[in-house]
Amino acid sequence: MAIKKFGHHKAPTVEPITDDLDWWHPVEGSPTMKTWIEHQTEDGKYLTGYWEATPGSYRVKYDVDEFIHMFEGKVTLINDGEEPRSFVAGDSFVIEAGFNGIWKTEETVRKAFAIRVR
């Protein structure tokens, strides 16, 4: 069994990717993001790390499953045709593949993530 240790959410061990993710399209404000991929399997189908975003909204379509634990901030997710759901620092949740809607960062978000590519 392998155990992978990576940095702290305030001090990742890798350099961040500062480009918006391909499937995230800004729709309100001027949001920015940073992604630290601390671990990725050889086949690229499982990734873990940290993510940070500044206030604003993105239209997103998830083709992956993502487990999220938020360390800081507030976000509201609006899946098309559903009621908005808000999450704050300390919350953990899963976004399943098929989510198609708005990710609205209301306060700068810092989170840990685990993504499974389908």
Side-chain angles (χ1 to χ4, degrees), residues 33-85:
M33 66 174 68
K34 293 180 185 176
T35 307
W36 293 266
I37 299 175
E38 293 275 0
H39 174 69
Q40 182 173 346
T41 57
E42 287 185 32
D43 64 5
K45 293 194 176 220
Y46 184 71
L47 304 97
T48 57
Y50 301 110
W51 187 80
E52 176 183 291
T54 61
S57 297
Y58 289 94
R59 168 147 293 274
V60 298
K61 182 175 181 184
Y62 270 68
D63 293 327
V64 300
D65 297 318
E66 180 178 17
F67 169 80
I68 294 167
H69 176 75
M70 289 182 42
F71 296 105
E72 297 178 22
K74 179 179 180 183
V75 63
T76 298
L77 304 179
I78 309 164
N79 198 14
D80 290 347
E82 295 182 12
E83 292 295 316
R85 299 192 58 193

Side-chain angles (χ1 to χ4, degrees), residues 18-29:
T18 56
D19 296 329
D20 288 350
L21 300 171
D22 290 343
W23 35 289
W24 290 62
H25 306 284
V27 294
E28 179 183 26

